């Protein structure tokens, strides 16, 4: 599948970065890649959220079905559909969640 080949090319490029002999140059490359991954990650999460909502609204797809098709967990799909992001800081607290 062409998509798998494109993903593999990205993985190969990351492997190439790890083989940069000069530790300072390798570190600079890693910093650049990490920053770009963060920037794109937020955009890609939004794209997945739109797609998940579309799949649910127009196709009647279940949370589990969306998860399987997108290659993520069902809880991730639930977060996407609810608009949650990050490490839980945007999720509403539930009673008793603070241990008391």
């Amino acid at each position: 599948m062409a998509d798998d080949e494109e993903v593999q090319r990205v993985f190969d490029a990351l492997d190439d970065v790890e083989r940069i002999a000069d530790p300072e140059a390798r570190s600079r490359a890693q910093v650049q890649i990490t920053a770009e991954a963060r920037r794109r990650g937020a955009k890609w999460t939004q794209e997945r959220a739109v797609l998940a909502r579309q799949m649910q609204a127009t196709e009647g797809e279940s949370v589990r079905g969306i998860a399987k098709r997108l290659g993520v967990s069902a809880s991730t799909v639930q977060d996407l559909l609810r608009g949650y992001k990050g490490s839980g800081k945007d999720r509403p607290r539930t009673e008793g969640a603070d241990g008391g």
Side-chain angles (χ1 to χ4, degrees):
M1 174 181 260
D3 294 342
D4 292 337
E5 291 173 11
E6 291 175 15
V7 170
Q8 187 58 52
R9 283 198 318 241
V10 172
F11 292 158
D12 292 344
L14 293 173
D15 290 341
D16 290 343
V17 168
E18 291 178 348
R19 286 190 287 271
I20 295 174
D22 178 2
E24 291 179 24
R26 184 173 55 248
S27 178
R28 285 190 301 272
Q30 291 166 340
V31 167
Q32 291 173 345
I33 291 166
T34 301
E36 184 65 12
R38 281 192 193 115
R39 186 188 71 76
R40 289 184 188 221
K43 176 185 171 195
W44 293 347
T45 297
Q46 284 305 111
E47 289 177 4
R48 275 192 305 278
V50 168
L51 181 57
R53 286 191 291 273
Q54 179 183 26
M55 292 165 82
Q56 187 178 54
T58 62
E59 301 173 27
E61 188 68 81
S62 68
V63 168
R64 286 183 184 167
I66 294 169
K68 183 174 181 179
R69 288 172 62 182
L70 297 184
V72 299
S73 69
S75 62
T76 295
V77 172
Q78 290 172 332
D79 288 350
L80 291 171
L81 294 173
R82 294 175 181 153
Y84 299 156
K85 59 186 181 236
S87 61
K89 64 182 179 179
D90 297 323
R91 291 172 180 79
R93 288 188 159 266
T94 57
E95 286 188 39
D98 59 0

